[in-house]
């Protein structure tokens, strides 16, 4: 069972930056895809960014070049650098791992507990 733990969430003003990190158990390095998802109150969980073990990436259209996902297979960590944050980016952000590089939550079967990101205007 893959164990994922997110960190780095917090509160920031619009235009600010945050870096989210996800630490995985040893099995994480063998998984093909890892991704970041978010869920705002009253909304469905949506894909933010995903990366394969080869470094191929996918981004949600709303990221608009503001977010960068990276992965360190040796250290079993996943990072999401978020710049120029907007109030609509406010959500709980989740780290996930799976076998298909996609932005659909259904393709991922291991999830962290989530970390809150709040962006004020």
């Amino acid at each position: 069972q893959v164990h994922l733990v997110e960190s780095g969430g917090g509160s920031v003003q619009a235009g600010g930056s945050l870096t989210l990190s996800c630490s995985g158990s040893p099995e994480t390095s063998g998984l093909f895809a890892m991704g970041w998802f978010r869920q705002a109150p009253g909304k469905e969980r949506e894909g933010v960014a995903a990366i394969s073990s080869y470094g191929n990436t996918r981004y949600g259209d709303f990221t608009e070049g503001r977010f960068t996902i990276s992965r360190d297979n040796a250290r079993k960590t996943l990072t999401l650098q978020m710049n120029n944050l907007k109030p609509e980016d406010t959500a709980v952000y989740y780290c996930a791992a799976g076998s298909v590089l996609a932005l659909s939550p259904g393709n991922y079967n291991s999830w962290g507990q989530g970390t809150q990101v709040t962006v004020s205007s």
Side-chain angles (χ1 to χ4, degrees):
Q1 180 69 27
V2 174
H3 185 59
L4 302 170
V5 179
E6 303 95 338
S7 62
S11 298
V12 65
Q13 289 189 329
S17 299
L18 281 175
T19 302
L20 303 183
S21 297
C22 174
S23 296
S25 56
E27 299 81 6
T28 306
S29 60
L31 292 174
F32 180 70
M34 295 191 73
W36 288 99
F37 296 79
R38 70 184 188 183
Q39 188 166 17
K43 295 188 177 181
E44 294 186 352
R45 190 168 298 188
E46 62 180 349
V48 177
I51 186 169
S52 75
S53 56
Y54 299 118
N56 301 105
T57 57
R58 298 287 186 272
Y59 289 95
D61 291 341
F62 59 84
T63 61
E64 299 174 329
R66 300 178 295 127
F67 296 0
T68 303
I69 190 172
S70 59
R71 175 176 178 174
D72 186 330
N73 291 326
R75 297 187 178 185
K76 307 169 188 61
T77 57
L78 181 72
T79 302
L80 183 69
Q81 175 65 42
M82 303 187 293
N83 299 322
N84 191 22
L85 283 161
K86 304 176 181 180
E88 51 264 44
D89 293 319
T90 295
V92 177
Y93 283 69
Y94 297 89
C95 171
S99 58
V100 177
L101 181 63
L103 292 176
S104 299
N107 289 109
Y108 294 78
N109 50 22
S110 296
W111 293 85
Q113 294 300 306
T115 185
Q116 177 70 45
V117 170
T118 302
V119 184
S120 58
S121 58

